[in-house]
Amino acid sequence: MSLHGMLLARAAEGNPLRIGVIGAGKFGSMYLSQIPTTPGIHLLGIADLSPSKARENLARLGWKPEVTQAGSLAEARRHGNTHLSDDWRALVSHPEIDIIVESTGDPIAAVEHALAAFENGKSVVMVTVEADAFCGPLLAKRAAAAGVIYSLAYGDQPALICELVDWARTSGFEVTAAGRGHKWLPHYAQSTPETVVEVLGPQRGAGQARRAQPQDVQLFLDGSKPAIESTAVANATGLTPAPDGLAFPPCAVEDLPFVMRPVSEGGHLHHKGQVECASSLERDGRAIPYEIRKGVWVVFEAATDYQKNCFEEYMLCTDPSGRYSVMYKRWHLIGLEVGMSVASIGLRKEPTGCAIGFHADVIATASAT
């Protein structure tokens, strides 16, 4: 039965999945925007450092004011509406909440929230991927010991990459490489929050600076965010990075099977089974047509001539040898897709990506000023 069908059944039974959200900022708001149109879900409570700002966000999302007027979690449970407060401890300890969505973006706080949720028998969707890169395998171990589920957030690129890797392996293919796209040039690594507008160019840089703090723009620009997300992917799939880290080779979608194969076979990979990012820019700054900047991909290999012939017969995109092919998703919807994790955990008892060991890490260095 489909997840949607199972949610409909829960709604018809009057037994929805009951969830709590910690953090109603950008990512949290994207998920909150989907809840009113998703059957079988009851958002019992939201915990945010600024309940007033969270309420403003909900109004912007189209939520009716009365929906968040419950004076307590108990009242929200009785009347089917939502309690809004700054008390995350009350949220994670409420006996009838099944799943906590952690979307604060603060890795230290996120770890504390997750551990408290596990202690109270709650499964956790970890939106704060920095926390997962920091100690995801340990969080997964704690969750298992508590008999609950710890999961990466579907819609964010790491979980989507994990899904593609699982698809390839379950279909019987060896994964050569997997990863995400990114707009990156080597000199971006020398940028700082003070120079990010200049590096991006006045028009684009100023526009991004209006939408986010300079340090957040910098996190994406210099490759830090892709490194953090690639670490989460490596720890969840067993894929490993090259010894020198991410190389960001320039690559169009149709060239992924050619570029993401070992150097010994004419590609750019250090080894098979690698996590990597594809840049949407040529090294001279030219934009690559039909790139995968906003998407995810997996390159896999035909083990036999028969499989190779099937690639050709069904017109898959391959390298010149015909052995390597690619499956990809060119876009992702971030928080709008988190409901997939909630439903998968609550109904199938399966995470949408979960760390299985320490296979990679992120090294922090200070940018020159």
Side-chain angles (χ1 to χ4, degrees):
M1 193 177 193
S2 70
L3 287 174
H4 183 248
M6 296 167 77
L7 286 172
L8 287 172
R10 293 289 289 258
E13 295 163 2
N15 183 30
L17 295 175
R18 294 187 173 89
I19 66 169
V21 171
I22 306 178
K26 169 65 174 176
F27 205 116
S29 293
M30 293 184 79
Y31 176 49
L32 293 171
S33 75
Q34 300 301 99
I35 290 177
T37 54
T38 306
I41 297 291
H42 178 195
L43 176 62
L44 209 62
I46 302 169
D48 192 90
L49 289 174
S50 176
S52 61
K53 288 186 178 179
R55 203 177 300 280
E56 289 175 8
N57 276 346
L58 290 168
R60 181 170 54 86
L61 300 175
W63 280 53
K64 297 178 180 178
E66 58 268 24
V67 176
T68 56
Q69 292 304 313
S72 67
L73 292 168
E75 183 181 330
R77 171 66 180 87
R78 287 195 303 271
H79 299 294
N81 54 1
T82 301
H83 176 59
L84 182 57
S85 78
D86 59 1
D87 189 355
W88 68 267
R89 293 186 184 279
L91 195 66
V92 301
S93 62
H94 192 276
E96 293 195 68
I97 287 180
D98 305 304
I99 301 166
I100 294 292
V101 178
E102 208 300 328
S103 55
T104 63
D106 182 329
I108 303 302
V111 171
E112 183 181 10
H113 298 158
L115 292 175
F118 301 155
E119 290 171 2
N120 285 279
K122 317 298 182 196
S123 295
V124 171
V125 178
M126 181 57 75
V127 172
T128 307
V129 69
E130 292 83 1
D132 187 83
F134 176 43
C135 58
L138 298 178
L139 290 173
K141 187 175 180 179
R142 289 287 190 93
V148 295
I149 298 169
Y150 169 75
S151 177
L152 293 171
Y154 197 92
D156 216 358
Q157 286 162 310
L160 299 181
I161 297 167
C162 290
E163 181 181 51
L164 287 177
V165 169
D166 187 59
W167 166 83
R169 289 171 170 168
T170 303
S171 298
F173 295 114
E174 180 183 358
V175 172
T176 306
R180 52 165 286 175
H182 192 63
K183 188 172 185 177
W184 191 85
L185 291 171
H187 72 273
Y188 288 175
Q190 279 69 56
S191 175
T192 70
E194 290 73 28
T195 65
V196 67
V197 172
E198 178 184 346
V199 171
L200 286 172
Q203 186 172 358
R204 180 167 173 260
Q208 290 211 15
R210 283 194 298 271
R211 293 189 294 271
Q213 295 295 320
Q215 59 267 31
D216 294 330
V217 178
Q218 171 66 24
L219 186 67
F220 282 90
L221 180 69
D222 67 7
S224 297
K225 189 70 170 181
I228 290 167
E229 293 191 350
S230 296
T231 294
V233 171
N235 291 341
T237 63
L239 299 175
T240 53
D244 293 332
L246 298 175
F248 298 95
C251 192
V253 169
E254 62 269 22
D255 291 330
L256 280 163
F258 180 85
V259 174
M260 301 300 178
R261 57 182 181 162
V263 170
S264 60
E265 299 181 46
H268 287 253
L269 297 183
H270 174 268
H271 60 271
K272 292 183 180 180
Q274 188 172 314
V275 63
E276 187 55 90
C277 286
S279 176
S280 63
L281 297 175
E282 298 285 5
R283 288 295 186 251
D284 61 6
R286 287 179 295 123
I288 295 173
Y290 205 72
E291 34 71 23
I292 197 163
R293 176 187 174 194
K294 298 291 188 180
V296 297
W297 50 270
V298 61
V299 170
F300 51 96
E301 182 179 3
T304 65
D305 285 340
Y306 179 79
Q307 291 176 355
K308 176 182 168 181
N309 290 339
C310 286
F311 289 177
E312 181 179 1
E313 180 181 359
Y314 289 97
M315 302 177 69
L316 270 68
C317 182
T318 69
D319 74 318
S321 75
R323 287 173 49 214
Y324 296 101
S325 189
V326 63
M327 197 63 69
Y328 62 92
K329 186 173 185 178
R330 197 163 179 238
W331 292 278
H332 66 300
L333 287 174
I334 321 177
L336 299 181
E337 300 179 76
V338 172
M340 290 292 293
S341 290
V342 172
S344 181
I345 290 172
L347 302 173
R348 291 181 178 160
K349 310 303 178 185
E350 293 181 352
T352 51
C354 180
I356 57 175
F358 281 108
H359 301 289
D361 207 346
V362 182
I363 299 173
T365 60
S367 298
T369 57

